[in-house]
Amino acid sequence: MREYLDFEKPLAELEGKIEELRHLSDPQGMNIAEEVAKLSEKAERLLHTTYAKLTPWQKTQVARHPERPKALAYIEGLMTDFAPLAGDRAFAEDAAIVGGLGRFRGRSVLVLGTEKGTDTETRIEHNFGMARPEGYRKARRLIELAGRFALPILTFVDTAGAFPGIDAEARGQAEAIARSIEASLAAPVPYIAVIIGEGGSGGAIALAAGDKVLMLEHAVYSVISPEGCASILWRDAASAPAAAEAMKLTAEDLLRLALIDAIITEPLGGAHRDPEAAIAAVGKAIEAELGPLLLLAPAELKARRHERILKMTSEVGA
Amino acid sequence: MSWLSQYVRPKIRTLLGRREVPENLWHQCPACQQMIFHRDLEKSLKVCPHCSHHMRATAAERLAWTFDPETSVSIELPKVAHDPLRFRDTKRYAERLREAREKTGLEDALRVAHGTIGGHKAVVAAMEFAFLGGSMGAAVGEGILAAARLAVLQQAALVVFTASGGARMQEGAISLMQMPRTVLGCGLVKDAGLPFIVVLTDPTAGGVTASFAMLGDILIAEPGALIGFAGPRVIEQTVREKLPEGFQRAEYLFAHGVVDRVVPRGQLTATLAQVIGLLTVREAA
């Protein structure tokens, strides 16, 4: 069963009808096949028009879609010879951030991702993609490891944000994030970040201060969740759609503001409708960005990365 | 004397005179509710003489308290485009900015000056909480960078007083990008072998804590200051349990190994001078 979002209701009805017809064992099979074909065409048109003009709030829903491919799906889909690595060497293993070594197009790389999980069990295991300090400290450790072995770094970002918990604060959540950013900026190797779903605030930037930041077409990237922003500025979480609009959190907005480098087109109806195609598109986009970066000497690479970040003031695109 | 001062002034005076306690002479401590005479409050650097509560200070006060007398020079901070997103919530961001500027006399939530602390060269950046909660947008990011570059240029220590609710939501992802930008800024100071000291004051939260504020070579917190990543209310709503006593306060952070010292305001300047001296003057004269 596909999960439909609120704004996909007409689509749900149409596709429901198609399914129904398909399961009808009618002697006049020909007519049914014709009807199914007609409805399918209509559904595709509807899907096209719906997804061509998603509002920022609708994109937020798509970015959070439970069936959207998660970080591990990209890692499994794009890596061969994946060797997971774990632990911050100080306190614990945090499964909200997954990482390890693997080969991307034959080349040895370090990969990191915030993993939300795909069902109740794995969502709890990965704490819904909300990392604690251990997660960011593991990330930092692995980023430094990549630097020592001259391995490019690929990150897949999909998180509502860092975990806001008592234990997380007690163990220095802010410091862990800051150090992960610092390590990212200092890495002497190519660093490509892909925002695959939600790019939530500090928890996202901890793994996204790289040379190139790519965003999936329906991903969102923001300083605070629309709900959080609405409850602070509108004093009403129900104003989240307005906050999503105002914050300019879509891939298009971020590209226009020159805060990301490219948008990766999703399959029609969003990555969740065709995860394989979405993963392949991401692989292609990473490959295209990685090539030129591999030609740069570490000092040049870092200088350009820093230049890229230093330009991100409000003069850009204002 | 103009008709205005003759005519209008006395009227204002009579209005004020009717008040039992003129608010400019007596202040009430928000912690213990006791009244404090304004001169005593000035002398105590806005620390309550009754209960030692550290009241919030302005950026101007921070600079005045920190530098050796008559050594400091304020610098003008780089201008950035205002309101890049044309943001509007219940009010326009442009309007909120205008009000904050009127209220504080500042362009944005940061003041930077250079001078000496105990004879040691220093650049001091102080965040202004009264300016939109000290939130960090492009202007604050730019200001921290400017302070860092100035410190490198002058071969001076960089001291930052933080007071911020976090990133400035009205600048969307641009404010988020100030996290890596300011991390780069303090990196310039560290790479130059100069001390980078952060004084965490009440409150310091969100994107400010999770970027340059936690990266100081030395972290000092003021007593009782609220310092954290997530706000206490958000945490309470997420974990649905009561927060422990003193949670996210300076003393709690000290006990958890997050800061080097908790230093009362009256000893801050001396502590800064001492630490900068120990880090930079390797052989005492």
Side-chain angles (χ1 to χ4, degrees), chain A residues 37-255:
Chain A
K38 231 164 70 190
L39 286 178
S40 296
E41 201 183 302
K42 201 172 160 198
E44 190 170 319
R45 272 206 310 274
L46 184 59
L47 195 59
H48 191 86
T49 50
T50 307
Y51 271 78
K53 50 175 175 49
L54 292 181
T55 67
W57 178 239
Q58 287 169 338
K59 288 213 180 218
T60 308
Q61 308 304 307
V62 177
R64 294 171 179 169
H65 198 292
E67 287 162 355
R68 196 174 169 83
K70 304 291 186 281
L72 277 173
Y74 287 93
I75 293 173
E76 278 155 22
L78 297 174
M79 303 287 150
T80 54
D81 215 8
F82 179 59
L85 299 172
D88 69 343
R89 299 293 187 271
F91 182 76
E93 155 65 357
D94 182 356
I97 291 181
V98 294
L101 304 169
R103 290 193 185 274
F104 173 74
R105 309 289 203 247
R107 177 180 297 278
S108 196
V109 299
L110 178 97
V111 61
L112 286 165
T114 40
E115 171 61 36
K116 285 185 172 179
T118 51
D119 52 26
T120 308
E121 197 187 326
T122 52
R123 279 179 195 128
I124 291 167
E125 180 194 336
H126 295 287
N127 197 33
F128 303 85
M130 293 185 287
R132 291 182 164 85
E134 303 76 81
Y136 300 110
R137 289 182 179 131
K138 170 171 71 182
R140 175 190 170 200
R141 180 174 77 80
L142 296 183
I143 289 167
E144 286 170 357
L145 176 73
R148 275 205 304 290
F149 288 88
L151 308 179
I153 298 166
L154 307 180
T155 67
F156 298 100
V157 177
D158 185 17
T159 177
F163 184 64
I166 295 171
D167 57 339
E169 294 288 321
R171 293 195 295 275
Q173 184 73 295
E175 195 260 0
I177 293 171
R179 295 276 173 210
S180 186
I181 296 173
E182 188 179 49
S184 298
L185 292 169
V189 292
Y191 189 134
I192 297 174
V194 188
I195 315 292
I196 55 170
E198 260 184 298
S201 185
I205 194 79
L207 295 182
D211 300 306
K212 296 285 173 188
V213 179
L214 315 178
M215 244 176 113
L216 277 177
E217 187 184 355
H218 303 307
V220 294
Y221 193 7
S222 65
V223 66
I224 184 171
S225 71
E227 293 91 334
C229 179
S231 72
I232 296 170
L233 292 181
W234 278 261
R235 301 193 180 282
D236 174 19
S239 297
E245 185 89 44
M247 279 200 294
K248 305 275 191 285
L249 46 63
T250 70
E252 248 174 80
D253 290 327
L254 271 95
L255 187 66

Side-chain angles (χ1 to χ4, degrees), chain B residues 155-175:
Chain B
Q155 291 292 291
L158 175 63
V159 178
V160 183
F161 287 86
T162 61
S164 172
R168 190 169 295 168
M169 286 171 288
Q170 294 93 337
E171 293 186 18
I174 293 172
S175 70

Side-chain angles (χ1 to χ4, degrees), chain A residues 169-170 223 234 309-310 312 314, chain B residues 81 175 178 181 229-230 248 252:
Chain A
E169 294 288 321
V223 66
W234 278 261
I309 300 265
L310 288 174
M312 291 178 182
S314 51
Chain B
S175 70
Q178 304 314 307
R181 281 186 98 220
F229 177 64
Q248 291 185 318
Y252 177 93

Side-chain angles (χ1 to χ4, degrees), chain A residues 281-318:
Chain A
V282 166
K284 240 171 116 181
I286 292 174
E287 190 181 357
E289 297 288 355
L290 188 57
L293 293 177
L294 287 167
L295 302 175
L296 299 174
E300 174 67 14
L301 194 65
K302 273 170 64 178
R304 289 192 191 191
R305 183 184 311 150
H306 295 181
E307 201 47 48
R308 177 185 176 278
I309 300 265
L310 288 174
K311 278 196 309 209
M312 291 178 182
T313 171
S314 51
E315 264 144 348
V316 179

Side-chain angles (χ1 to χ4, degrees), chain B residues 108-282:
Chain B
D108 214 292
L110 191 76
R111 272 184 199 270
V112 177
H114 61 96
T116 63
I117 303 173
H120 307 292
K121 280 192 287 184
V123 173
V124 178
M127 302 186 84
E128 178 57 69
F129 190 74
F131 194 107
L132 296 177
S135 56
M136 175 163 73
V140 169
E142 204 65 47
I144 295 287
L145 271 172
R149 286 175 177 139
L150 183 66
V152 174
L153 192 73
Q154 298 191 337
Q155 291 292 291
L158 175 63
V159 178
V160 183
F161 287 86
T162 61
S164 172
R168 190 169 295 168
M169 286 171 288
Q170 294 93 337
E171 293 186 18
I174 293 172
S175 70
L176 186 63
M177 298 308 154
Q178 304 314 307
M179 293 173 68
R181 281 186 98 220
T182 54
V183 170
L184 276 178
C186 63
L188 297 175
V189 179
K190 289 180 171 184
D191 289 348
L194 300 163
F196 171 45
I197 302 170
V198 180
V199 183
L200 303 148
T201 80
D202 187 64
T204 300
V208 168
T209 324
S211 59
F212 68 92
M214 276 293 134
L215 295 181
D217 294 308
I218 289 167
L219 300 182
I220 296 170
E222 277 201 332
L226 184 83
I227 302 153
F229 177 64
R233 256 187 310 150
V234 175
I235 296 170
E236 215 158 26
Q237 281 162 12
T238 309
V239 300
R240 301 193 186 278
E241 54 181 294
K242 216 174 137 44
L243 302 177
E245 177 77 17
F247 180 62
Q248 291 185 318
R249 297 287 167 186
E251 298 73 13
Y252 177 93
L253 267 74
F254 177 77
H256 283 83
V258 176
V259 298
D260 289 287
R261 302 269 290 272
V262 178
V263 178
R265 194 171 287 165
Q267 295 164 32
L268 256 183
T269 302
T271 304
L272 287 172
Q274 180 203 15
V275 170
I276 297 170
L278 288 167
L279 285 173
T280 57
V281 186
R282 276 163 214 131

